[in-house]
Amino acid sequence: MIENDGIPCFNWMILQTGQLPLRPDGRLVQTAEHRCTAVLIWPHGAHPAAANTILIDPCFTSTGIEEAYARLDRLDIALDDIGRIFVTHLHADHMLHLPYDVPAPRFRPLRPDTRIDGIELVLCPGHHPLLLALTFRAVDGRAIWVVGDAVLDEEWLRAWHYFWVNGYTPAEIVETWRSVAAIVSRADLIIPGHGAPITVDAELVGHLLETFPQAAFADHCPDVIPTLRARWLQLSEQVDPGE
Ligand SMILES: [Zn+2]
Ligand SMILES: [Zn+2]
């Protein structure tokens, strides 16, 4: 599917691959650094430029910015050609930050009340009460959800585990699971806060469905299971048995 019923679609590119040293089992991966996923999007069919680009979670480390420069080179644009920035949630590891030797670019913030055809901002509370996912359609028709820390990475998602060090209340944990279910029920591809893109398919949703009862406070949000089951059924039907 190339056309999206007249809904504008977008190109996207990860400028900085997210990493998180802390694993859900408590291990620390020494080779990983704490850095968020930074994603650039621009309308399909247009050359990326200050007038049409949005950079999501522009918090760069010294090594991350080098990765970003290399990818911007491939697009034949500079950091300064990026127009707007959008921050999924007000945590220091997602807000605008550039290494000290990078000249300050002229980014403008994308305000949450700005309407852009084809882009929907969806409130995904839990990890942060005002966390907004930025969602759009890709050229291939897939619904792409850039969700910040509503999902940390695939391993954390599959473990139904969370950054307990944030000192969550039970109500916040329940909100987190509801947000995960809402994201999974609508996204075809999740771009998480600290990891590689996650494809939402029948296998992933089946796993989440099976393991959710072991999540903390799962009994406080029985609505998560039917939401996941509906998505699992939908994705199972999409699998062509001849394939
Ligand atoms: Zn966060
Ligand atoms: Zn984060």
Side-chain angles (χ1 to χ4, degrees), residues 20 34 36 89 91 93-94 127 149 152 163 193-194:
L20 196 64
H34 186 127
C36 71
H89 64 298
H91 281 165
D93 60 335
H94 295 257
H127 175 83
D149 290 348
L152 290 171
F163 242 161
H194 291 271

Side-chain angles (χ1 to χ4, degrees), residues 15 40 53 55 58 60 65 72 78-86 96-98 102-110:
L15 294 190
L40 186 70
T53 40
L55 172 59
F60 291 97
I65 196 81
L72 289 169
L79 197 61
D80 220 23
D81 292 324
I82 293 172
R84 284 185 281 199
I85 52 171
F86 177 75
L96 177 61
H97 172 82
L98 292 156
V102 176
R106 293 184 289 255
F107 299 147
R108 289 172 293 128
L110 175 71

Side-chain angles (χ1 to χ4, degrees), residues 96-120:
L96 177 61
H97 172 82
L98 292 156
Y100 71 92
D101 54 343
V102 176
R106 293 184 289 255
F107 299 147
R108 289 172 293 128
L110 175 71
R111 310 193 76 87
D113 56 355
T114 307
R115 297 194 72 86
I116 297 178
D117 239 15
I119 290 180
E120 187 192 352

